[in-house]
Amino acid sequence: MTNRLTFGQNTNQIQCQDYVRSNVTSGVMHLGVGAFHRAHQAVYFDRLLALPEGKKWGITGVNLRPQDSAQFARFIEQDGEYILKTMAADGATVYQHIRSLVKQIDGAKTPDQVDQQMADSATQLVTSTVTEGGYYLDETRQLMLDHPAIKGDLAGQRHTLYAFLYAGLKLRSQTSQAKITLLCCDNLRHNGDVLKAGLMQFLNAKGDQALAQWVNENVAFPCSMVDRITPKPSPEHVQDVQQRFATDDQLTVMGEDFIQWVVEDNFAGAKPPLEQVGVQFVDQVDPYEEAKIRILNAGHTNVVYQAALKGMTYFDEAMRDETLRQYFRDFVHQDAIPAIGNSIVNLEAYADIIERRFSNANIGDTVERICTDGYAKFPIFVYPSLTGCYQLGQTPSKTIEGIAAWFVYFQKARTGSISTPYHEPNLESLQPYSDDEEGIQAFANDRFLWGDIPRQHPQFIAQLSQAIRSMQQQYSM
């Protein structure tokens, strides 16, 4: 049987690309198979496999984390197949049977299989989504060599992306020696450069200069920009698919109808012809990246903690709240767009698109999910508007308001006086910031979060302190 998933009814409502899975070979490895990858990159490759020249671009999906092995076991059982449910703002719903993940490896259990797949010359592209915090770099892009996960990997363990890349690329350099491209798909500015910086520092720390030289000569690290709002998988959508189609799919993923992927045209070996299925290959990703990070990601981040303080459950509620909707518009037009400056992207039109996407009530993206990992998000998404406005001689009042909301939110989360729980991998970094003047001053001077702003623009400290006090008073209950 070609397909693992079968459907007992309403099959005419399911879209499925026209290819025979047994005719597909894997030319792509993806590290970190989460909901976003399954709603984004896997969709483009699913389209590509339907083209005559696409048959060698199936995906090998790799799990890296032991805590995800139980879920990944079901993914293996379903042979990498699942239903993607997309929902537009007007309620229009599309169901797609995605089959592009033609091979699955649980690297947490069988890391040697990951190495062998990465060493195979048929593998031409390694993509990754390991979240912003999965690169273990500080604010100066230095690898956190003292972090327990990195220390363990340097000693031969497998905790992070770097350990898997090290072992796989080393075997490749000793066997097939074929060139390869590592394509980072996480929300990081200059993400290809970030991945290369982290990996090369890891190789240097391992003392493997021969592999470092091989990587420099044979591996490309293009930058990319990825975009599709993808909520945490919900039992509601799983149940909908199971009942609607009489199927046993337990891995339904849902996303909005908007999708975009912009990739720097920089490949070491073969390049998948993704431009035929909607991917944009460009010389410079920066303008698209800056628009997305500073408007969509920063907009999400600055609005969400205020939504949490107001007791909201879903992000679209925030965009139906007059105050928060106006706040989003003010942040974008007063801070974000001026800080970006000239762009080949129509920023005003892009901001309107983002506002409509944020307002999509069908997405059901939770405030709790978006609140997660604030300590990693603010330096990446929000910091540029801060420094950009100050450099223009402007006060980034709306940006500071978003930061203040985060401070008040995590204080309330710490004491359990807010209904939205806070999932923060870097909670230890926030511990010194007590809910008093001393704590506020320390927070405003956090070098990881705000870089040199407190020294170059000392008014920031007073402005943030005032904003926090106002926010504390506003949400004192």
Side-chain angles (χ1 to χ4, degrees):
M1 184 171 63
T2 302
N3 296 332
R4 160 63 177 79
L5 286 182
T6 58
F7 308 97
Q9 61 193 28
N10 297 320
T11 54
N12 62 313
Q13 296 179 21
I14 302 174
Q15 294 183 3
C16 186
Q17 294 292 339
D18 185 17
Y19 61 88
V20 178
R21 220 164 172 235
S22 56
N23 293 339
V24 171
T25 57
S26 175
V28 185
M29 283 186 77
H30 184 79
L31 308 180
V33 185
F36 182 75
H37 169 71
R38 295 196 291 121
H40 190 276
Q41 298 99 50
V43 177
Y44 283 104
F45 281 103
D46 193 58
R47 296 173 184 171
L48 184 59
L49 293 177
L51 303 181
E53 56 270 63
K55 298 298 184 287
K56 65 179 182 179
W57 294 106
I59 305 172
T60 295
V62 178
N63 174 53
L64 303 180
R65 307 195 309 169
Q67 60 266 44
D68 294 333
S69 286
Q71 174 87 344
F72 200 76
R74 177 63 194 186
F75 196 67
I76 293 173
E77 187 179 337
Q78 291 190 193
D79 197 19
E81 297 181 28
Y82 56 94
I83 292 293
L84 167 65
K85 177 181 179 181
T86 59
M87 299 186 73
D90 63 3
T93 303
V94 174
Y95 299 90
Q96 296 168 269
H97 183 188
I98 305 298
R99 302 176 296 146
S100 53
L101 285 137
V102 296
K103 186 175 179 180
Q104 306 83 41
I105 302 173
D106 188 349
K109 292 184 175 181
T110 55
D112 289 350
Q113 290 185 26
V114 181
D115 303 343
Q116 291 160 14
Q117 186 73 28
M118 200 179 300
D120 190 332
S121 60
T123 300
Q124 289 287 311
L125 178 66
V126 178
T127 56
S128 57
T129 47
V130 296
T131 76
E132 296 85 2
Y135 295 87
Y136 299 90
L137 300 174
D138 66 17
E139 71 277 9
T140 61
R141 209 182 277 179
Q142 296 301 303
L143 186 63
M144 298 175 180
L145 295 172
D146 290 332
H147 194 285
I150 297 296
K151 290 174 76 171
D153 284 358
L154 289 171
Q157 299 170 17
R158 299 266 188 141
H159 298 292
T160 75
L161 173 76
Y162 302 120
F164 286 91
L165 290 177
Y166 172 74
L169 292 174
K170 189 169 184 65
L171 184 60
R172 191 178 181 99
S173 72
Q174 295 168 340
T175 55
S176 70
Q177 299 184 351
K179 293 181 181 293
I180 193 169
T181 299
L182 305 186
L183 178 57
C184 177
C185 299
D186 278 305
N187 279 321
L188 294 163
R189 182 172 283 97
H190 311 306
N191 52 14
D193 300 335
V194 167
L195 175 56
K196 183 176 183 179
L199 178 60
M200 298 311 291
Q201 289 176 72
F202 186 85
L203 298 184
N204 288 333
K206 289 286 285 188
D208 198 332
Q209 295 307 311
L211 182 57
Q213 182 177 346
W214 186 88
V215 168
N216 274 323
E217 294 172 355
N218 295 279
V219 182
F221 298 83
C223 296
S224 74
M225 188 278 279
V226 295
D227 194 2
R228 175 171 243 177
I229 296 173
T230 307
K232 183 178 178 181
S234 164
E236 171 194 345
H237 302 299
V238 173
Q239 186 177 27
D240 170 39
V241 164
Q242 289 177 344
Q243 293 178 351
R244 183 180 300 269
F245 302 114
T247 183
D248 65 344
D249 179 24
Q250 295 182 22
L251 297 171
T252 297
V253 64
M254 187 272 238
E256 64 171 335
D257 56 334
F258 179 92
I259 186 169
Q260 186 180 21
W261 194 3
V262 183
V263 180
E264 180 187 0
D265 196 353
N266 172 28
F267 288 73
K271 182 178 80 171
L274 289 163
E275 72 279 1
Q276 297 188 42
V277 292
V279 174
Q280 297 168 262
F281 286 117
V282 298
D283 292 334
Q284 289 285 332
V285 173
D286 297 29
Y288 305 92
E289 184 178 75
E290 291 302 317
K292 194 241 177 174
I293 285 177
R294 298 202 198 190
I295 296 176
L296 186 147
N297 296 119
H300 250 161
T301 303
N302 276 334
V303 171
V304 75
Y305 299 103
Q306 297 178 68
L309 291 169
K310 289 193 169 200
M312 296 173 178
T313 302
Y314 298 103
F315 192 81
D316 58 274
E317 294 178 63
M319 300 309 287
R320 290 195 299 277
D321 179 284
E322 276 190 35
T323 303
L324 291 187
R325 191 181 190 104
Q326 188 60 50
Y327 167 79
F328 170 76
R329 290 172 176 167
D330 290 344
F331 160 69
V332 168
H333 296 288
Q334 294 176 20
D335 292 6
I337 289 179
I340 293 172
N342 294 329
S343 175
I344 63 172
V345 178
N346 184 331
L347 299 175
E348 302 285 344
Y350 182 72
D352 290 342
I353 292 170
I354 300 304
E355 184 175 323
R356 287 196 298 274
R357 292 169 63 195
F358 281 175
S359 304
N360 186 345
N362 296 306
I363 294 299
D365 206 0
T366 63
V367 169
E368 180 178 346
R369 184 196 76 83
I370 303 168
C371 280
T372 299
D373 205 9
Y375 194 74
K377 289 176 178 175
F378 274 87
I380 299 168
F381 304 152
V382 177
Y383 171 84
S385 291
L386 271 181
T387 187
C389 285
Y390 280 127
Q391 288 169 0
L392 291 171
Q394 300 175 197
T395 300
S397 301
K398 295 302 173 182
T399 307
I400 289 171
E401 193 175 321
I403 297 168
W406 176 43
F407 182 90
V408 174
Y409 164 79
F410 74 66
Q411 297 293 347
K412 287 181 175 290
R414 179 184 287 167
T415 59
S417 58
I418 196 166
S419 59
T420 305
Y422 189 28
H423 308 286
E424 176 54 78
N426 296 292
L427 201 58
E428 286 185 11
S429 300
L430 296 175
Q431 288 299 337
Y433 306 139
S434 51
D435 196 10
D436 54 24
E437 194 59 38
E438 184 178 349
I440 292 171
Q441 290 292 314
F443 174 70
N445 281 282
D446 185 311
R447 193 173 183 84
F448 176 79
L449 292 171
W450 321 125
D452 288 330
I453 286 178
R455 282 151 289 284
Q456 294 178 350
H457 307 282
Q459 67 270 33
F460 166 73
I461 299 171
Q463 290 162 351
L464 179 57
S465 299
Q466 178 58 45
I468 288 173
R469 285 191 288 270
S470 297
M471 196 72 67
Q472 287 171 329
Q473 188 172 5
Q474 184 177 352
Y475 296 102
S476 59
M477 295 298 291

